[in-house]
Amino acid sequence: IETLQETEIIADQEAEELKETMRQIIDKADKNSPSRTFEAVDQMKDKLKNSAQKALEESRNEQSALDRIEKLNRDLESALESGDSKSASALSAELKKEIESSAAGKKMDTATRENLAKALDSLSDGGQGSEESLQKAAEQLKEYIDQRAREIKKNAQKLQKARLVDRKTFEELM
């Protein structure tokens, strides 16, 4: 429960409710009928594992979106370096769309998202945009991608350490 709360998979209130449920299971434990207690504990364990599995799947999807965003960003930088404004314009529009529609983009802090959108808008509208603002936005995007990738990995490691996800699923994400 604490690991799910720590990794923000469950809210504080839900964690408290689960802890209370666990206390009730312990309080109602009957040494003459331990199978009932074990069954209740197993059900709680399954619920926690399901929450972890769902969160890990969301993380996997977010990581895929981050990978797409990173590739589009690299392609955009290449197009700009080669002076291919038509490709740069199309790539900036595609990158902006990916950021706006993906879970990875929605988790981006507001300032980074706004700076990036402004720089990409100027480019996708056919304008040249400021080279400096585009470089700054690209750097912010790279930093964001690296930060989120580290957070995803760290949370997955916590889930695996708490044995809320199996080794195979953990390794697939990493």
Side-chain angles (χ1 to χ4, degrees), residues 6-131:
E6 200 176 289
T7 56
E8 298 179 0
I9 293 171
I10 59 174
D12 292 342
Q13 182 179 347
E14 186 178 359
E16 289 307 315
E17 290 170 3
L18 290 169
K19 287 176 186 177
E20 179 58 32
T21 300
M22 197 62 177
R23 281 191 284 277
Q24 289 174 0
I25 291 170
I26 292 168
D27 291 345
K28 292 180 182 179
D30 183 0
K31 60 184 166 191
N32 295 324
S33 180
S35 63
R36 239 187 244 156
T37 303
F38 287 130
E39 185 178 327
V41 169
D42 284 344
Q43 287 176 358
M44 172 71 77
K45 186 177 167 184
D46 289 344
K47 181 177 182 174
L48 297 176
K49 281 187 172 190
N50 287 339
S51 293
Q53 198 70 29
K54 181 180 176 189
L56 204 56
E57 185 60 36
E58 289 171 4
S59 293
R60 190 177 302 148
N61 292 339
E62 183 180 356
Q63 186 62 54
S64 293
L66 287 170
D67 292 343
R68 286 190 306 274
I69 290 169
E70 184 175 39
K71 182 183 181 322
L72 287 168
N73 193 41
R74 280 193 317 266
D75 292 348
L76 176 58
E77 286 177 329
S78 294
L80 289 169
E81 286 173 9
S82 69
D84 185 355
S85 60
K86 189 173 183 176
S87 291
S89 180
L91 285 165
S92 67
E94 190 176 347
L95 179 56
K96 183 177 180 200
K97 182 179 176 186
E98 183 67 35
I99 289 168
E100 289 174 349
S101 66
S102 70
K106 291 176 183 166
K107 289 185 178 183
M108 190 179 293
D109 66 274
T110 306
T112 301
R113 190 173 44 248
E114 286 175 358
N115 288 341
L116 192 58
K118 186 176 179 182
L120 292 173
D121 281 343
S122 70
L123 191 61
S124 64
D125 291 340
Q128 293 301 310
S130 146
E131 186 73 28

